[in-house]
Amino acid sequence: MTALRVFALAVAACVAAIGAAYAQDATTLKKEMVGQWELSTTERSKTCVVTMKGDAAGQGFKLELEPACKTALPFTKDIVAWSVKGLDIVRLQDATGESVIDFTEVEAGIFEGLRQGEGVYILQDLAAARSMAKSMDQMIGDWAMVRGNGQPVCGLTLTNTEAGPDNFQVFLKPKCDAAIAQFNPTQWKLERGQIILMSQSGEVWQFEADDNAQWRRVPDTADPLIMLRQ
């Protein structure tokens, strides 16, 4: 067997392997997408439940939109089916198979899609989305910031008043420690299991829940700053 033929066979084997992996990835994604999903704006001010099915429907697969979808997200009125394009694109499509919006996975179970002139939309597992909403609700209210020795240094209130995409207003109470007063956070959000506080200048403080059901600023220091629910 000539070297050229060996090379050609090797190339053919690689192409076949890539094709098999492609088919496997696309098939896996199709299986994973069957179920109920929440389609929403990034801050979840407008939501819509989408039920994706595995039954063929024209150029894609069947789906059902809850009746409120067309009011909450008007572009959904054109969606009649879903499909997987390429390795990782989940397409919500119209009756001709054209894309109404395409989603790509940004983290496990969470997909992002962009509609020009409108912005970014999120598609995520319905149960996970509702769990996150419950977690957000639990964060709203009064908090105390204390040092590691338990000394109170500030009080603050996390609200559900929107202050931009994904962000909500936060207010400091009077008589805060100078460092916290200087930071002066005006917005907060819950992201990847962290409470994120943000100032108007763009400074960001991150807090993670620890084993004692309190939230510690990360990275940790010898004199930690802790948030406690009031």
Side-chain angles (χ1 to χ4, degrees):
M1 185 179 294
T2 65
L4 182 60
R5 181 167 174 73
V6 171
F7 176 74
L9 289 173
V11 170
C14 287
V15 170
I18 292 171
Y22 173 93
Q24 184 178 16
D25 287 348
T27 300
T28 300
L29 183 56
K30 286 177 185 176
K31 291 179 180 178
E32 291 175 348
M33 296 306 298
V34 173
Q36 288 192 302
W37 296 80
E38 181 188 85
L39 173 59
S40 70
T41 52
T42 53
E43 73 282 3
R44 296 187 73 254
S45 61
K46 297 179 180 179
T47 65
C48 160
V49 176
V50 182
T51 303
M52 297 188 183
K53 301 184 176 183
D55 307 320
Q59 301 181 47
F61 301 95
K62 290 181 180 178
L63 61 71
E64 291 180 357
L65 299 169
E66 66 176 353
C69 287
K70 294 177 183 179
T71 301
L73 302 170
F75 70 85
T76 60
K77 71 183 188 315
D78 297 322
I79 298 172
V80 300
W82 71 278
S83 62
V84 172
K85 299 298 180 183
L87 287 174
D88 58 357
I89 296 175
V90 176
R91 173 168 293 177
L92 302 186
Q93 58 196 47
D94 63 19
T96 67
E98 292 297 312
S99 170
V100 176
I101 184 169
D102 285 346
F103 289 92
T104 54
E105 195 168 22
V106 292
E107 57 182 277
I110 300 179
F111 297 75
E112 284 188 1
L114 174 67
R115 277 181 58 84
Q116 293 295 335
E118 294 184 28
V120 174
Y121 293 88
I122 305 297
L123 184 69
Q124 62 180 319
D125 176 79
L126 180 62
R130 288 181 172 171
S131 175
M132 183 182 297
K134 184 178 180 181
S135 296
M136 281 284 294
D137 290 342
Q138 292 172 346
M139 297 298 106
I140 295 166
D142 291 330
W143 292 74
M145 279 191 183
V146 303
R147 293 293 181 190
N149 60 7
Q151 178 188 0
V153 291
C154 190
L156 67 160
T157 302
L158 304 183
T159 77
N160 59 357
T161 304
E162 293 179 16
D166 294 322
N167 300 339
F168 302 90
Q169 290 183 352
V170 57
F171 298 99
L172 291 187
K173 295 184 178 181
K175 300 180 181 179
C176 282
D177 177 90
I180 300 169
Q182 184 176 1
F183 169 46
N184 190 26
T186 57
Q187 299 184 33
W188 78 280
K189 64 181 175 180
L190 190 62
E191 183 177 87
R192 295 184 177 89
Q194 293 184 332
I195 294 177
I196 312 292
L197 300 181
M198 297 156 282
S199 71
Q200 286 187 329
S201 65
E203 188 178 358
V204 174
W205 287 9
Q206 299 163 290
F207 293 80
E208 287 186 352
D210 65 14
D211 295 336
N212 297 314
Q214 55 191 19
W215 296 74
R216 299 171 71 93
R217 188 182 174 194
V218 291
D220 209 353
T221 64
D223 185 20
L225 187 60
I226 298 169
M227 286 181 61
L228 299 175
R229 193 73 165 85
Q230 297 297 285

